[in-house]
């Protein structure tokens, strides 16, 4: 198993971690109601997913 001989500097550690940031979720408009929702999820406003009713919403 590898054992480091010297401590890694802060700048080197941070350079390695530049790609570990959280990405913004992709949003799309619902074709049924026109509300924005997260891609590949059920619309929270109307309850439709891919043109089919997935969750029964109360009026």
């Amino acid at each position: 198993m590898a054992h480091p001989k010297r401590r890694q500097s802060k700048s080197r550690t941070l350079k390695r971690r530049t790609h570990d940031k959280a990405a913004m979720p992709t949003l799309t408009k619902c074709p049924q109601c026109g509300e924005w929702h997260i891609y590949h999820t059920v619309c929270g406003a109307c309850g439709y997913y891919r043109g089919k009713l997935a969750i029964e919403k109360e009026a």
Side-chain angles (χ1 to χ4, degrees):
M1 193 157 138
H3 187 56
K5 198 166 195 121
R6 297 273 183 257
R7 180 180 174 205
Q8 226 175 31
S9 68
K10 291 177 191 173
S11 65
R12 189 179 177 99
T13 303
L14 294 175
K15 281 180 191 176
R16 188 183 68 247
R17 292 181 182 167
T18 57
H19 304 291
D20 293 346
K21 60 189 176 206
M24 289 291 293
T26 306
L27 298 177
T28 185
K29 273 196 170 185
C30 177
Q32 299 291 326
C33 64
E35 290 280 328
W36 288 97
H37 66 94
I38 299 173
Y39 207 59
H40 294 295
T41 58
V42 176
C43 178
C46 64
Y48 275 79
Y49 178 68
R50 296 184 73 189
K52 297 178 184 174
L53 186 63
I55 299 173
E56 195 73 36
K57 299 296 277 189
E58 297 176 12

